Amino acid sequence: MASTRNLNRFWEWGRKIICVGRNYPDHAKELKNAVPTEPVLFLKPPSAYVTEGSSIMVPFYSHNLHHEVELGVVIGKGGTAIPQNAAMDHIAGYALCLDMTARDVQDECKTKGLPWTLAKAFNTSCPVSEFITKEKIADPGNVKIWLKVNGQLRQEGNTSQMIFSIPFLISYISEIITLEEGDLILTGTPKGVSSVQEHDELLAGIEGIVSMKFRVDRPE
């Protein structure tokens, strides 16, 4: 049955954002974390979405906001316990995404053994590009993503460096959390994460496919 929802605007109605942490070995190492043997998952609420034309807002309680550029997978067909060999059939398309992270807050949460919600789930913590149709990315396991801050290249990586592949992640996540149409999976970030400041301009892209630009601001 064809969807009656507009996947081109998945951020307006998608119910959840499921994020994968430490899915690039060099990123895990740069933050002095062990390379995981199974996926590290956390969630963002739909209120985290922000699209071009609006700003990324630094949380009032953070003084060390980091960028993390990621390939996002938009679910087109829901399911539970999806087999890896069927996983790609559940993808509607993709989006370039940022997982904005209050690193100082995350470090404190990790030290105290607390969840990462305050560090990861705040408003505007998930900037996204326009929807990218499935046909435009023939192999999501071999995509170059990059990010610049004020014109300076900070992150550049390829999804071929991911520890856990997209079919594996869809299968693994759906065993625990039923996936629904419009859900977004953030697949992890390559090395090069760093701090951004008020008035910085972030430009990110998927080579040859899409780019997006965001300004960083603080609430008044």
Side-chain angles (χ1 to χ4, degrees), residues 43-61:
L43 301 175
K44 292 179 185 273
S47 51
Y49 279 127
V50 62
T51 54
E52 279 192 286
S54 298
S55 295
I56 297 166
M57 304 302 289
V58 181
F60 67 89
Y61 49 82

Side-chain angles (χ1 to χ4, degrees), residues 18-37:
I18 303 162
C19 309
V20 182
R22 305 173 190 169
N23 198 26
Y24 288 70
D26 287 347
H27 171 60
K29 292 172 185 173
E30 76 179 341
L31 296 183
K32 299 180 171 56
N33 292 313
V35 175
T37 55

